[in-house]
Amino acid sequence: MNRFPTEWLRLREPFDHAARSTALIETLLDILPASRPLRILELAAGLGSGMRFLAPLLPTPQHWTMIDHDPALLASIGQPPTNKITLETLEFDLRELDKLNFSTDLVSTQALLDLVSDDWLESLVNRLADQSIPILAALTVDGRVRWSPEDPKDAEIQQAFRAHQTSDRGFGPSVGTRATLELERLLSARNYTIIRKQADWSIAPAFARILKELVDGTAEAAMEACSNITTTKTVTGWHRRRRAAIASGDLSLQVGHLDLLALPSN
Ligand SMILES: C[S@@+](CC[C@H](N)C(=O)[O-])C[C@H]1O[C@@H](n2cnc3c(N)ncnc32)[C@H](O)[C@@H]1O
């Protein structure tokens, strides 16, 4: 199983929440049922960050089904924000999407879609469209990354990093940074109305811990993908300079993400 460390998910949560679009939620409110408890399916729930962002913005009562294949993450989700919100956890491998019960008013997900394959996205769209279910797919990386100050090797390192993002991360070759636009294309073909907003992380120099994680993660991925794009020496040099810039309080980072809301036509 491809595991996501608890510490990483906790570290990114405030940046995720600061980045997510609230304009999309206002549109979503118009189409959700008001006369009965809301049912929400959270795909790849992790530690529940997506629920903690969205639940306070939706009418109550709500019932959330939190799905993930990692039981340790599900066990650490904790309590919902209010007693008008109930949660159940479901340990489930999303590769078996055809076996998942989609009795829900909304499918929600956060930071999942770049991991999945083109085929998986197509299956998801078929399941949604067959039952006219809306989806809110938040915080999918879109490939825009801006380090400041710039380094002469940023572009090369980023190219290697992007190549790594299309490797198999559990679902077959990943759709990577194409994910949101591909989802949009598939849902539009099933007559969904799409609204898309940028939801970028802006990380100031003071947030050294997450900057270190991102610099280390970028260097590690670039190293794995390096043979035909860059060299070990280039990655090592870039990594050392970026670590030094964090230590001197000079590095900031913008990471591009997209939030997408898709509403069925009926
Ligand atoms: C980047 S994390 C995002 C977690 C959470 N949505 C958040 O934003 O904090 C990706 C999540 O996908 C889950 N995941 C990856 N592959 C999965 C699979 N095949 N089935 C179910 N969950 C999976 C991981 O366990 C992890 O919780």
Side-chain angles (χ1 to χ4, degrees), residues 3-172:
R3 285 195 178 279
F4 285 79
T6 304
E7 309 75 55
W8 167 241
L9 296 181
R10 286 200 207 291
L11 186 59
R12 59 176 289 169
E13 180 163 337
F15 298 92
D16 285 340
H17 288 194
R20 278 189 66 167
S21 162
T22 49
L24 295 189
I25 319 292
E26 282 163 32
T27 306
L28 175 63
L29 289 177
D30 292 340
I31 61 109
L32 289 175
S35 56
R36 58 175 169 77
L38 271 182
R39 298 160 306 164
I40 301 136
L41 212 56
E42 179 78 10
L43 304 184
L47 292 171
S49 168
M51 177 274 298
R52 280 187 291 278
F53 174 81
L54 187 55
L57 304 174
L58 299 181
T60 53
Q62 299 162 22
H63 180 75
W64 288 73
T65 306
M66 310 291 281
I67 299 170
D68 206 284
H69 66 166
D70 188 335
L73 294 180
L74 291 175
S76 303
I77 286 178
Q79 295 303 310
T82 79
N83 63 7
K84 291 192 171 145
I85 298 169
T86 51
L87 297 183
E88 68 178 305
T89 57
L90 178 61
E91 183 186 335
F92 182 83
D93 187 342
L94 283 170
R95 289 176 300 181
E96 304 200 50
L97 202 60
D98 51 333
K99 296 191 184 141
L100 186 64
N101 179 354
F102 271 71
S103 304
T104 188
D105 299 308
L106 173 69
V107 167
S108 156
T109 193
Q110 179 181 291
L112 165 70
L113 295 184
D114 62 298
L115 305 180
V116 307
S117 64
D118 283 278
D119 286 350
W120 191 90
L121 266 190
E122 209 170 318
S123 310
L124 175 66
V125 167
N126 287 336
R127 295 300 308 275
L128 295 168
D130 289 349
Q131 292 177 242
S132 296
I133 299 169
I135 180 169
L136 180 60
L139 287 172
T140 311
V141 283
D142 67 359
R144 289 175 297 120
V145 172
R146 203 174 71 232
W147 302 94
S148 179
E150 287 176 11
D151 180 280
K153 295 296 178 190
D154 282 347
E156 196 170 312
I157 296 294
Q158 213 50 48
Q159 196 192 343
F161 181 73
R162 269 201 303 276
H164 187 266
Q165 279 178 315
T166 57
S167 63
D168 184 344
R169 289 178 290 161
F171 292 80

